[in-house]
Amino acid sequence: MSEGLDIASLNLPALPSGWHYKAVSEIGATGEQPVLTGPFGTNLGRSDFVESGVPLLTIGCLTQGGINLDKALFVSEEKAKELSRYRLKEGDLLFSRMASVGRAGLVPKWLEGALFNYHIMRLRLDEARIDTRLFINYVRGAKQVRDYLKAVNHGATRDGINTEQLLGLPVAVPPVAEQREIVAEIEKQFSRLDEAVANLKRVKANLKRYKASILKAAVEGRLVPTEAELARLEGRSYETGEQLLQHILEARRREWNGRGKYEESASVNAAVPGKLPVGWVWATYAQLGEVTTGFTPPTGNAANFGGETPFFKPTDLDAGEDVHVAREYLSDMGLQKGRKLPAGSVLVTCIGATIGKTGLASVDCATNQQINAVSPAVVGIDCRYLFWWTTSPHGQRQIVDNASATTLPILNKSKFEALPVALPPAAEQHRIVAEVDRCLSIVREVEAEVDTNLKRAQALRSSVLQRAFSVSA
């Protein structure tokens, strides 16, 4: 990257009367080093980090919403004293050295005394010349800053800024009184936007709770009239969940005929809690379909990949009830190492932090070994009902409670097979699925509108800054 450019060479737009361009070096704090890079690795290494203590800010702590400690490290008070020249004060400005200067933060009162690492630069301004709140908003919104970054990064492989370039950054400086007016107006506009965003986020949280309540009601027999209730009102008989389960098991025995010794699927543990609606029965995943754990063909052989069969991994299950696009595809050769699953299979992550993430395959597919799959019986099981049961609070709790209690939770195939499923009559399954789909389609519409408005709020935030620093003579 080139060094900082001379302001006169930048062909900057004219300013309103009373405004002046100043390089950061001209408005920096006097009597001390205005720009300081965090300590080198020779002064601060991994062995210095502790679980709690004095915060050490990293690039990940700098966000558009301000500075947070989500990605902070910590050092002891003794180590912090050794690094006292890197202690922060309220009003200090922090900039990433490895990304654009727009990734910046203003140090609040509660972070006084914290430290910052080598990937961050600290800028300390002369408050008599420029309001630091004005400066941070200028950096985030002014076109002059973006143009300057393009100029100093010309030919660079990645965006960034060094100490000299930060000192050379041109700043449009209004009179002090006008600075305060601009800051007050920006903060007023941002306060309104913050309130709107908070309301939108509350709506999203309420939608999430509403979805959970819909699924809970669905698998407890409270969302639609039960088959038992309708049969009584209509004066007819019906096939109960228990009878349906027996028909499923008999059909699976017949299909197995001639394939060796048939092993009965594990039945539900008698200790399973919860009273079921009339006509329902407890079953297990193993009773309701074929359960398999995925596989991964040798990755060293490119011939195993590039075919037409989607090869799903946990990250592909984000699509939820319509998983059909994969990041990788297997060839026929790759499939020889495992099993091809039919469309309608319920896919459940069985290991790691995303354990319980569930998807419904809408195409024939294969999965890796992080996923357990249930391919439901052909007759009597609505695969979408099985999917909604698995994603319901009841289904998710069973998965989490039965996973191994280690730092890396695991739910192996045998444990997954034995998990209970509340099974309604077939006709009732279809009604439940139809009503869940209807309710959740409304949720999705509202969520889409909320997301659109959140994006609009972010665009308005940028627009406020652009208008504040859009200069003309």
Side-chain angles (χ1 to χ4, degrees), residues 210-439:
Y210 174 69
K211 178 179 178 179
S213 69
I214 289 295
L215 295 183
K216 185 174 185 292
V219 300
E220 291 177 352
R222 298 185 290 108
L223 189 63
V224 298
T226 66
E227 189 67 2
E229 291 169 344
L230 292 178
R232 185 175 64 252
L233 289 172
E234 297 168 5
R236 60 174 173 81
S237 61
Y238 71 98
E239 181 185 59
T240 67
E242 185 174 4
Q243 291 169 332
L244 171 61
L245 179 59
Q246 290 305 313
H247 292 159
I248 290 170
L249 295 177
E250 289 169 4
R252 295 189 66 190
R253 289 190 200 100
R254 289 194 301 270
E255 290 172 2
W256 191 267
N257 188 33
R259 294 165 59 189
K261 183 181 178 181
Y262 179 77
E263 293 185 9
E264 292 287 349
S265 301
S267 57
V268 173
N269 188 316
V272 169
K275 184 179 179 180
L276 292 175
V278 175
W280 291 39
V281 69
W282 285 112
T284 64
Y285 283 110
Q287 289 178 316
L288 300 181
E290 187 173 354
V291 178
T292 56
T293 299
F295 67 100
T296 297
T299 56
N301 188 348
N304 288 323
F305 299 89
E308 297 183 353
T309 301
F311 183 53
F312 294 133
K313 299 176 182 178
T315 49
D316 296 311
L317 305 190
D318 290 333
E321 66 244 59
D322 183 21
V323 180
H324 65 281
V325 176
R327 290 163 176 78
E328 284 190 290
Y329 288 76
L330 297 182
S331 65
D332 290 341
M333 179 184 294
L335 274 171
Q336 292 176 5
K337 301 295 182 180
R339 178 173 179 268
K340 190 172 188 177
L341 304 170
S345 295
V346 178
L347 315 177
V348 185
T349 302
C350 59
I351 184 171
T354 59
I355 191 167
K357 179 190 273 190
T358 307
L360 181 63
S362 57
V363 293
D364 293 352
C365 63
T367 73
N368 74 356
Q369 63 269 30
Q370 294 176 282
I371 293 175
N372 286 323
V374 189
S375 302
V378 175
V379 178
I381 299 296
D382 189 317
C383 62
R384 291 181 66 79
Y385 171 79
L386 194 60
F387 168 77
W388 290 126
W389 163 266
T390 307
T391 56
S392 74
H394 289 293
Q396 290 292 297
R397 185 171 65 248
Q398 292 290 341
I399 291 170
V400 172
D401 290 350
N402 286 277
S404 59
T406 63
T407 54
L408 187 68
I410 298 174
L411 186 67
N412 62 33
K413 178 174 176 285
S414 61
K415 283 187 176 182
F416 179 74
E417 285 179 323
L419 293 183
V421 178
L423 181 66
E428 193 171 339
Q429 291 178 44
H430 300 325
R431 289 199 300 275
I432 289 171
V433 166
E435 184 61 13
V436 168
D437 286 348
R438 187 190 70 81
C439 292

